[in-house]
Amino acid sequence: MLADIYPWQMNIWQQWQVLLQQDRLHHAILLAAPEGSGRIALAGRLAKTVLCRTSNEEPCHQCHSCKLFDAGNHPDLHQARPESEGKQISVDAVRQANHYAWETSQLGGKRVILIDGAELMGEAAANALLKTLEEPPSSCQFILLTAAIDHLLPTVVSRCNKWKAELPDENVAKRWVESALFESVPLQTIRLHRGAPLAAKAFIENGGTAKHAKLVEAFCTFVEKKQGLFTVSELLVKSERSGLNWISFLLLDAMKIQQGSDTGIVHSDMGDLLRLLATNLA
Ligand SMILES: [Zn+2]
């Protein structure tokens, strides 16, 4: 797991460091952060620091614990996540995490349980976790990551110390992606990912730009000429959930243009096309 944090996470990290130094970090940290914001790296830094045997404010990168962490096989780090994309975190996965929480640390320090995508726990799984959060074992640090805090059981939320991750300003995010990929990036790519820089970067690396452009073009042709519905549905199926998001952003953008507003337009680099779409939808 990565433990190098990103510039936009410094503020939250420094606050955690103060709590770590004072030994006041809550036993269950709940971080609300969108996917693709670098949340795993931030959680990784926290986990590595909690587990480090020589420092309590920054991983030393030298001790046995830090080396095991970097090698990806730390015996005191346990992660619970869905078995595959789109699935829930099973009650068995949470029971396993609970069992692990009560075991003694193998390196004689703390144990860390990381739940990535905590909103994906079903009710039974969340209730199983709740019992452990209510009577937490000593020397066990929970880190819960979620993109949707409202989808968590309120009783679970109330047992955690809540944090909201900050995202960089969209122009800062754009420059960060540009310098990571050595290419210019349209602002709409950042907006399509609600400002999450790593999500925008992955989109470009995985050929998302061309897929998005094709779907937008096919959709606009369909609206204008009432032709090509099959192509639209085929592209939607290929792009899975993202495609539906793109179309909903596109329709919202067109509605804003119809109302004469240009605030919050996602497809900011497709002005002509949006105006045409807005006219054809009227
Ligand atoms: Zn260390």
Side-chain angles (χ1 to χ4, degrees), residues 52-54 59-63 66:
C52 175
R53 299 313 313 278
T54 64
C60 74
H61 306 299
Q62 302 295 326
C63 71
C66 283

Side-chain angles (χ1 to χ4, degrees), residues 17-273:
Q17 279 185 304
V18 172
L19 295 168
L20 283 163
Q21 284 159 1
Q22 298 171 346
D23 199 21
R24 288 199 301 122
L25 192 76
H26 193 276
H27 70 271
I29 293 288
L30 172 60
L31 177 67
E35 283 181 53
S37 62
R39 66 186 195 183
I40 285 284
L42 182 60
R45 173 71 74 100
L46 179 60
K48 193 174 176 184
T49 308
V50 166
L51 294 168
C52 175
R53 299 313 313 278
T54 64
S55 165
N56 65 351
E57 57 178 305
E58 197 76 68
C60 74
H61 306 299
Q62 302 295 326
C63 71
H64 185 45
S65 171
C66 283
K67 286 188 174 152
L68 283 171
F69 188 97
D70 289 340
N73 52 10
H74 200 297
D76 292 327
L77 173 67
H78 182 80
Q79 298 184 57
R81 55 163 71 102
E83 273 170 36
S84 56
E85 207 182 331
K87 292 261 164 70
Q88 285 195 330
I89 297 180
S90 68
V91 66
D92 282 346
V94 172
R95 282 193 189 125
Q96 209 183 351
N98 282 342
H99 179 70
Y100 190 88
W102 286 101
E103 283 180 9
T104 329
S105 152
Q106 302 236 358
L107 295 194
K110 289 200 169 188
R111 312 209 103 188
V112 173
I113 292 176
L114 173 62
I115 301 182
D116 184 16
E119 74 278 12
L120 301 171
M121 288 185 290
E123 202 172 334
N127 276 318
L129 178 70
L130 184 61
K131 283 186 193 140
T132 312
L133 292 179
E134 278 171 345
E135 291 170 34
S138 61
S139 298
C140 186
Q141 176 69 52
F142 283 88
I143 306 172
L144 279 70
L145 305 179
T146 183
I149 207 162
D150 320 348
H151 293 189
L152 279 169
L153 272 191
T155 39
V156 167
V157 176
S158 72
R159 293 284 164 185
C160 297
N161 181 215
K162 295 182 284 296
W163 296 80
K164 191 171 185 300
E166 285 171 32
L167 283 174
D169 170 86
E170 61 180 16
N171 286 306
V172 174
K174 174 172 149 46
R175 284 197 296 275
W176 183 86
V177 180
E178 286 176 337
S179 63
L181 295 177
F182 301 103
E183 63 180 68
S184 97
V185 170
L187 188 59
Q188 72 180 26
T189 301
I190 305 299
R191 293 185 174 176
L192 276 168
H193 298 91
R194 298 180 172 88
L198 276 79
K201 178 172 171 273
F203 166 85
I204 296 169
E205 287 172 327
N206 298 329
T209 311
K211 282 184 203 160
H212 169 262
K214 264 191 189 170
L215 179 58
V216 167
E217 194 193 326
F219 184 75
C220 291
T221 305
F222 168 68
V223 171
E224 188 184 352
K225 301 182 177 159
K226 307 286 176 282
Q227 283 170 12
L229 183 59
F230 180 73
T231 311
V232 172
S233 49
E234 200 177 35
L235 290 169
L236 268 175
V237 170
K238 275 190 197 158
S239 57
E240 296 173 354
R241 275 184 308 166
S242 310
L244 288 174
N245 281 336
W246 299 338
I247 297 295
S248 64
F249 283 139
L250 199 63
L251 290 171
L252 281 172
D253 287 346
M255 277 167 64
K256 282 176 186 160
I257 300 272
Q258 284 173 344
Q259 289 160 8
S261 160
D262 60 358
T263 22
I265 295 273
V266 171
H267 291 87
S268 50
D269 296 86
M270 293 182 159
D272 291 346
L273 193 136

